[in-house]
Amino acid sequence: MNTQSKQDWMTTRRDNTSSALATALKEGLTGFTVARRVGKRITLQDGETFTEFVSCSYLGLETHPALMEAARQAMRIGGLHLSSSRSAMRPVYLPQLEVLLGEMYPGCAVTVFTSTSSVHLGVLPLLGSGSLKGYPIPRRVHWLMDKTAHASMQVLRGILEQFGEVSRVESTDPESMDGALKRCSHSQQTPVLLIDGIGSMSGQVPIAELCAQLQRVGGYLYVDDAHGISITGQHGAGYAFNAVGQVLPANMLLAGSLSKAFGGAGGFIVVADPGDIETIQTLANPLVFGHSIMLPMQAANVAAAKIHLSEEVGVLQQRLWKNVACFDAVTGKQMLNAGMQSPVRGALFDSEEAGLQAARILRAHGVLLFPVFYPIIAQGQAMLRFAISALHSENDIRQVGVALSEIAHAKLWKSPGKSAARG
């Protein structure tokens, strides 16, 4: 690469990153060291106790007695870890989990990875190379990377370019999508759109419409629905699967997380053709050369999957959405994502200093959250991200409302608009 004409992405990121995150870390506004937790109350290393809106475990399953007991039993039976790739040795919980996930996604086939990021790293090269027979690539692939797609996909650009061109698009902008698909057609390329289902900072994308649009031109839709899993849909199958009527289209692949609302740890891929599972399990790099999820978490995943297949998951979903509705009401529907079926809300600020000052005010009110800066959002701005859980109480949420009133009175808070979240 000619470094004089093209700068690498990490150098660009480094040169454009300010000291805001370092300041937030130094002041204890993020990067919290948790010594103890009871529900949504966390006690930090220095003994102070706060209500947190940081965790992405939106259903509160991480403290469920069934998951905790399953983890204890697994340690007694098999210790902490079988440090081996699945092709050499695997815990009994792994096939159990994949069968249960298959029940959550009827008519589909599922394989488990150690993380959603590992899913992307393992599956996308197989897709781009035409190795998945259920997703044939008759012409060279052209990756269409949504601008708000998660960083775990964005960072793979150099790998993806080994299989085809990579372009950035705005999937919610019809003009952007139409133009990209026309260019693919003109160049005799197979379009593959990479998107999030529910963004970690932004809202939702129209899954069914995009899937149909790509199907008409022989393209594929790859959805990272990490934040959408469990929170909605029958058996907690998630936002994206629910959006396509609980039937996975032949041109769609779904990546999910076991580490967020699911309550456990790891990631998984859902494909339409069961024949592709053997290919993924024998060729995906993270599965061939990586180890399995640690035993206690594998057992906890199985316990969580059983809850998802019971009526209890519906009760937890209702509790979550009741809290989300309460949050919107208390904050006057003035947050980013307000009114959306997403457990994430955000307050956007014109400057990093305004965001830092707002985080200080919230901390003084006993509320901890996640302040984010460039490159997660646009350079020079700040966002305070609130993750709402089924475990939050109405009083927890009203704490936020009181603090935000003080922030608004201090004229720190930018009125909401289009999300500034970036991939």
Side-chain angles (χ1 to χ4, degrees):
M1 181 177 69
N2 184 348
T3 56
Q4 292 183 334
S5 62
K6 184 178 179 181
Q7 194 173 56
D8 67 88
W9 66 271
M10 182 52 76
T11 300
T12 300
R13 175 176 168 180
R14 182 198 67 209
D15 291 347
N16 287 284
T17 298
S18 72
S19 61
L21 178 58
T23 298
L25 288 165
K26 184 177 180 181
E27 295 186 20
L29 303 175
T30 192
F32 318 112
T33 302
V34 180
R36 180 177 173 80
R37 174 178 62 181
V38 178
K40 301 306 290 184
R41 299 285 289 174
I42 57 173
T43 301
L44 304 187
Q45 197 172 28
D46 61 8
E48 291 186 277
T49 301
F50 298 88
T51 301
E52 61 93 358
F53 285 82
V54 182
S55 171
C56 294
S57 185
Y58 306 118
L59 296 185
L61 283 172
E62 76 274 29
T63 59
H64 194 287
L67 274 69
M68 296 171 68
E69 179 57 28
R72 282 192 288 265
Q73 288 285 353
M75 285 190 290
R76 282 195 286 268
I77 293 170
L80 286 173
H81 196 21
L82 288 177
S83 185
S84 165
S85 67
R86 66 180 292 156
S87 59
M89 180 170 58
R90 60 182 181 172
V92 66
Y93 307 108
L94 180 57
Q96 291 175 5
L97 175 61
E98 290 177 339
V99 168
L100 292 169
L101 289 171
E103 293 180 30
M104 287 176 56
Y105 297 92
C108 306
V110 184
T111 292
V112 171
F113 287 71
T114 54
S115 69
T116 311
S117 297
S118 293
V119 173
H120 306 331
L121 181 60
V123 173
L124 289 176
L126 293 175
L127 177 62
S129 64
S131 301
L132 302 180
K133 302 308 179 185
Y135 302 91
I137 305 291
R139 302 166 295 174
R140 187 169 174 81
V141 72
H142 188 137
W143 308 99
L144 304 178
M145 184 79 70
D146 186 78
K147 288 186 177 180
T148 62
H150 194 265
S152 57
M153 288 189 283
Q154 303 270 5
V155 76
L156 297 179
R157 180 165 185 158
I159 294 174
L160 298 179
E161 285 176 339
Q162 296 179 43
F163 306 97
E165 185 180 350
V166 180
S167 299
R168 299 190 82 197
V169 297
E170 292 187 45
S171 63
T172 55
D173 179 357
E175 187 175 335
S176 176
M177 280 300 301
D178 287 344
L181 293 179
K182 285 178 181 177
R183 288 192 295 275
C184 288
S185 178
H186 179 74
S187 303
Q188 294 293 298
Q189 296 171 323
T190 301
V192 178
L193 177 61
L194 310 180
I195 61 171
D196 286 0
I198 293 180
S200 61
M201 303 288 172
S202 57
Q204 302 162 323
V205 296
I207 301 293
E209 292 87 340
L210 289 169
C211 194
Q213 185 180 19
L214 285 155
Q215 194 166 41
R216 287 192 292 269
V217 296
Y220 298 109
L221 180 65
Y222 181 93
V223 185
D224 178 344
D225 201 33
H227 288 273
I229 300 301
S230 305
I231 65 174
T232 191
Q234 186 178 9
H235 303 317
Y239 168 73
F241 195 65
N242 199 45
V244 292
Q246 305 275 323
V247 178
L248 193 73
N251 70 321
M252 177 173 160
L253 300 87
L254 173 61
S257 175
L258 302 171
S259 304
K260 294 180 170 53
F262 194 86
F268 60 93
I269 186 70
V270 183
V271 294
D273 187 345
D276 285 328
I277 291 300
E278 182 178 348
T279 301
I280 293 171
Q281 292 180 351
T282 56
L283 291 179
N285 258 28
L287 297 185
V288 176
F289 300 106
H291 60 78
S292 298
I293 299 166
M294 296 183 75
L295 283 171
M297 296 311 299
Q298 284 274 28
N301 286 336
V302 171
K306 291 177 180 177
I307 291 173
H308 280 67
L309 292 166
S310 74
E311 294 181 357
E312 187 175 357
V313 74
V315 174
L316 294 173
Q317 289 173 346
Q318 290 175 8
R319 194 177 300 162
L320 168 64
W321 298 120
K322 180 181 178 181
N323 283 345
V324 169
C326 179
F327 194 97
D328 282 347
V330 165
T331 57
K333 295 187 177 180
Q334 293 299 299
M335 306 286 274
L336 292 166
N337 291 353
M340 290 187 182
Q341 194 177 34
S342 167
V344 176
R345 295 293 183 266
L348 185 64
F349 296 84
D350 283 323
S351 69
E352 293 176 334
E353 182 50 44
L356 287 167
Q357 184 57 29
R360 295 179 187 115
I361 291 171
L362 279 152
R363 196 182 198 281
H365 281 267
V367 175
L368 296 181
L369 58 129
F370 184 26
V372 296
F373 314 96
Y374 176 86
I376 300 175
I377 62 168
Q379 190 176 6
Q381 295 183 336
M383 182 191 290
L384 302 187
R385 177 188 182 277
F386 297 84
I388 305 162
S389 166
L391 292 183
H392 281 119
S393 68
E394 183 177 336
N395 185 60
D396 294 336
I397 294 167
R398 293 196 179 280
Q399 275 184 286
V400 175
V402 172
L404 286 174
S405 294
E406 183 176 328
I407 291 166
H409 184 72
K411 298 183 178 180
L412 295 169
W413 190 9
K414 176 185 174 74
S415 60
K418 187 176 180 180
S419 173
R422 301 164 63 92

